[in-house]
Amino acid sequence: MEKSDKELLEAIADRDEKAFNEFYKRYSFILYKFALNRIGNTDASNDVGQDFWSNLWLKPQNIRTNDAGSAKNFLLSFYTYRILDYLRNPNQKEKAMDSEKQINNIEYTLAYTHILEEIEEKEIHTLIDEILESLPKLTREIFVYRWEQQHSIKETASYFDVDEKTVYNRTYVALTAVRSKVKDMLSDEVIIADSKTLLSLLVLLSLFND
């Protein structure tokens, strides 16, 4: 049976290298892609990752998990702060494409990222599936492929055997549909739990590079 993130982090605190390797395998690719989409530079993204994983080995207690034992939502929030720290470092700005713009975009959403820690991942995926239901199959598949694993346009085009313009257009259509629906739902009178899920999704969408 696969161990939960919480179990792995507890084992890492006891200096279990096997647990660290498993946690690394579980999240390194997603976090690297997440950083690359924010920074736009492979060297800078690798720098952020190297610093993060070194610190995780030393202080795994800094990573929190939800009631289900998952750390994913907290990791996205925590990693966003690490990216911001990197962009603010004057010695690293030359590696970033447009650090001031990137900092402003990230800071705009940081006030709400704590909400990500309170939301079950399955709630967000369920909501996305419901919103995308009316879109063409290929559009749904392309969006989900990019959304869940932070794949680039080039990687997605290769995977689906379509041109990059198709991937960009399909992603744009899906993002527009989801963002529009979420904003409409937030403006309606919904219960607090649903509002948190919607706002959490809106925050994640703002961090998603289309």
Side-chain angles (χ1 to χ4, degrees), residues 108-158:
Y108 179 76
T109 60
L110 277 178
Y112 303 100
T113 53
H114 66 283
I115 297 173
L116 300 180
E117 302 165 35
E118 304 171 15
I119 304 299
E120 292 288 345
E121 187 179 350
K122 63 183 179 181
E123 294 178 36
I124 293 176
H125 284 284
T126 298
L127 182 58
I128 289 176
D129 289 340
E130 291 175 356
I131 296 173
L132 297 180
E133 208 170 50
S134 62
L135 297 179
K137 183 172 182 285
L138 181 60
T139 301
R140 295 198 307 269
E141 291 178 345
I142 285 176
F143 178 79
V144 171
Y145 186 73
R146 296 200 62 210
W147 164 270
E148 291 185 352
Q149 299 186 42
Q150 294 285 311
H151 284 295
S152 68
I153 288 178
K154 184 176 182 179
E155 291 167 337
T156 306
S158 176

Side-chain angles (χ1 to χ4, degrees), residues 60-91:
Q61 65 273 17
N62 287 342
I63 307 301
R64 297 199 295 269
T65 59
N66 61 17
D67 292 339
S70 173
K72 185 174 182 179
N73 287 343
F74 176 81
L75 279 174
L76 292 176
S77 175
F78 186 84
Y79 213 70
T80 300
Y81 279 97
R82 303 292 73 77
I83 293 171
L84 190 58
D85 289 341
Y86 184 91
L87 292 173
R88 283 172 170 164
N89 186 335
N91 295 323

Side-chain angles (χ1 to χ4, degrees), residues 185-191 195:
M185 293 171 75
L186 280 172
S187 66
D188 292 336
E189 294 182 357
V190 293
I191 60 175
S195 296

